[in-house]
Amino acid sequence: MITKIIEDVEGFLSIKDDWERLESQDSDATYYSTFQFNYSWWLSYGGDKSNRLFIVCCYRDNKLTGIAPLMIKRIDKKIIKLDVLCFLGRGDYLSFLLDKKGNMELKTLKAIFSAIEEHAVGWDKLELTHMAASTSLLYYLMRHDKYNPGVSYLTSCPQLDLGEYDTYEQFAQQGLYPRARKSVEKFRREVPYRLKVITSSEDKHIYDRISHIHKLEKDFLRTQKKRLERRSLFDDKQNESFLKSLFMDNEQVVTFLLEDEKGEIIVYRTCYVYKDKIHGWNTGYSPEYAHIHSISDVLMIEMIQYLYEHPLGRVIDFGAGSYPWKFKWTSNFMVSYSFTKWNKSSKRIKRYQFLLKMKDLLQTIKGERYAR
């Protein structure tokens, strides 16, 4: 096996066909692993001087058998700057792409990590996050004496498998919690609305519509609810550039929304649809309906009923985070992990760890003085 490091956009684009071949047959791949998602992200964020492309490709007999979609990000810690080798882009599920045919997974992973180690002069810290429990990548790290200590629990991702119920009626009787049922019945009596399901390829204005609602919600929460920490992901220019390119003529970006009689959005939920999974990505509501409790439950029920009637996907993934509202819909969840490895040969790391020790020592001394 041989490895190659791709460090420019031209090289990135040159492996498009192989990347899409691997993503289609790798059972660990999610929408966050696709070429479309990662390439769009890099076109928006690659211009940042703090980011450098570092995609590791593994070949066997001139055939691409593995891709590690990575980059090196410069982190400014004020007292020191660190180069962190991490996943390209960001998402709820991140992994390497592997050719699962011929039982070459472990050998491919070994070759990829050997290449990473060989290029240690270029990074101070290796940090991989949001690796699902069932992936070959996490299994490799867990079984390896050298890497196992760096693995730690990160979060959980609740998932609702609609296949557990044969029909929507069965789900409504057995899987729907009582408060949600009451919410939708009450809302239907009080507010005339209609469900719309829109792909980015069908409506070129859907991005502008949901970003407008999300910003209105942010302003409402900051001014009326005094939640000053509230932000909108649509405010960031780089992120907006990425999202606009991702939304462009993309059938895999699907928005479920409720409209009022005027055609205005009441509440929406935008998802990535990939391999029978509906990945919840972003949601928002109009401040005009903020007084109505559990409005998101109404949309979720309409969304579930739609999915039983249309073969769009079987599993609703609520994304990373163990929030109570997610577990009201399901008891199932996927656990994800992170991995951290410090480059002990790096002079920056030696200095950084020394400074951390000095900081801890000073805090201890201050604590002892205070105790006296």
Side-chain angles (χ1 to χ4, degrees):
M1 285 188 168
I2 61 172
T3 54
K4 175 184 177 182
I5 309 297
I6 290 178
E7 300 177 286
D8 54 48
V9 176
E10 291 73 23
F12 196 163
L13 191 58
S14 71
I15 60 171
K16 178 179 184 294
D17 291 342
D18 278 321
W19 188 309
E20 292 180 341
R21 171 179 59 83
L22 290 179
E23 74 185 42
S24 67
Q25 58 87 45
D26 188 343
S27 57
D28 294 341
T30 68
Y31 189 65
Y32 302 104
S33 306
T34 62
F35 179 87
Q36 181 184 41
F37 185 88
N38 284 273
Y39 188 69
S40 295
W41 192 92
W42 185 253
L43 289 182
S44 297
Y45 285 88
D48 190 329
K49 293 182 179 180
S50 65
N51 298 330
R52 288 185 288 135
L53 206 59
F54 192 90
I55 301 175
V56 185
C57 297
C58 183
Y59 295 85
R60 183 172 185 269
D61 298 331
N62 295 319
K63 182 180 180 181
L64 191 57
T65 61
I67 299 174
L70 303 173
M71 69 176 186
I72 297 175
K73 184 176 184 63
R74 172 64 61 88
I75 304 294
D76 191 343
K77 292 285 187 178
K78 293 184 179 179
I79 58 174
I80 195 171
K81 292 180 173 61
L82 298 177
D83 288 328
V84 180
L85 182 59
C86 58
F87 277 115
L88 177 64
R90 53 177 173 261
D92 293 330
Y93 299 97
L94 301 172
S95 188
F96 295 170
L97 289 166
L98 303 170
D99 188 336
K100 297 293 182 71
K101 299 176 182 178
N103 298 319
M104 296 299 296
E105 297 168 54
L106 294 181
K107 291 183 179 179
T108 300
L109 286 166
K110 181 179 179 180
I112 289 174
F113 277 96
S114 293
I116 289 173
E117 298 278 7
E118 289 169 4
H119 290 79
V121 67
W123 54 270
D124 304 303
K125 178 184 180 184
L126 172 60
E127 186 174 55
L128 304 177
T129 65
H130 296 86
M131 296 179 291
S134 60
T135 59
S136 298
L137 172 57
L138 182 63
Y139 173 62
Y140 178 82
L141 294 170
M142 293 284 278
R143 74 191 293 271
H144 203 295
D145 293 338
K146 183 178 181 180
Y147 300 132
N148 181 280
V151 178
S152 60
Y153 167 80
L154 180 63
T155 188
S156 62
C157 301
Q159 297 180 338
L160 172 60
D161 187 349
L162 298 179
E164 294 181 359
Y165 309 94
D166 293 333
T167 62
Y168 171 75
E169 288 70 27
Q170 184 181 357
F171 168 80
Q173 290 297 319
Q174 301 175 14
L176 186 59
Y177 69 101
R179 182 178 175 182
R181 185 182 297 108
K182 292 179 181 179
S183 296
V184 71
E185 291 172 355
K186 184 175 185 295
F187 190 72
R188 283 171 176 167
R189 290 195 302 268
E190 296 180 354
V191 180
Y193 72 86
R194 58 179 173 270
L195 171 72
K196 295 192 72 174
V197 182
I198 303 170
T199 67
S200 297
S201 60
E202 296 172 329
D203 186 346
K204 299 184 184 301
H205 302 291
I206 188 60
Y207 175 86
D208 294 328
R209 295 183 68 195
I210 66 172
S211 64
H212 175 66
I213 291 295
H214 201 268
K215 291 175 183 178
L216 288 178
E217 179 189 350
K218 176 206 69 174
D219 293 339
F220 169 78
L221 292 173
R222 287 176 63 88
T223 58
Q224 302 299 315
K225 300 296 183 180
K226 305 305 179 184
R227 293 180 55 182
L228 301 181
E229 83 287 353
R230 187 72 177 197
R231 297 288 185 273
S232 174
L233 52 82
F234 298 100
D235 288 334
D236 183 272
K237 292 184 178 180
Q238 280 185 312
N239 199 48
E240 186 173 53
S241 172
F242 160 61
L243 292 173
K244 282 186 174 180
S245 65
L246 194 65
F247 269 64
M248 189 177 298
D249 297 324
N250 191 347
E251 294 183 357
Q252 291 174 304
V253 178
V254 181
T255 299
F256 299 83
L257 60 86
L258 302 183
E259 280 186 349
D260 61 21
E261 291 180 304
K262 299 177 182 178
E264 299 295 329
I265 294 177
I266 300 172
V267 59
Y268 74 87
R269 179 179 297 276
T270 299
C271 307
Y272 300 134
V273 179
Y274 188 72
K275 290 187 176 180
D276 206 32
K277 281 193 176 181
I278 313 293
H279 293 282
W281 167 69
N282 179 253
T283 185
Y285 62 86
S286 169
E288 183 179 345
Y289 295 90
H291 64 285
I292 300 178
H293 298 294
S294 304
I295 192 172
S296 60
D297 289 347
V298 180
L299 176 58
M300 181 60 68
I301 290 173
E302 293 286 358
M303 175 178 166
I304 291 171
Q305 186 168 1
Y306 179 90
L307 292 175
Y308 272 104
E309 297 169 355
H310 302 81
L312 190 62
R314 184 176 63 91
V315 177
I316 298 176
D317 188 286
F318 292 96
S322 304
Y323 301 107
W325 71 266
K326 298 180 181 181
F327 286 101
K328 290 179 181 178
W329 293 98
T330 180
S331 60
N332 299 323
F333 59 93
M334 178 71 74
V335 176
S336 66
Y337 293 79
S338 63
F339 169 72
T340 302
K341 176 179 172 56
W342 296 94
N343 182 358
K344 295 182 179 180
S345 64
S346 168
K347 292 181 179 180
R348 285 180 185 162
I349 293 302
K350 291 178 181 178
R351 182 188 171 198
Y352 179 61
Q353 292 179 335
F354 171 76
L355 292 173
L356 289 178
K357 288 180 180 179
M358 292 301 296
K359 181 180 178 181
D360 291 339
L361 178 60
L362 290 173
Q363 289 178 339
T364 301
I365 293 173
K366 287 181 179 179
E368 290 176 350
R369 288 177 178 174
Y370 179 78
R372 293 173 187 172

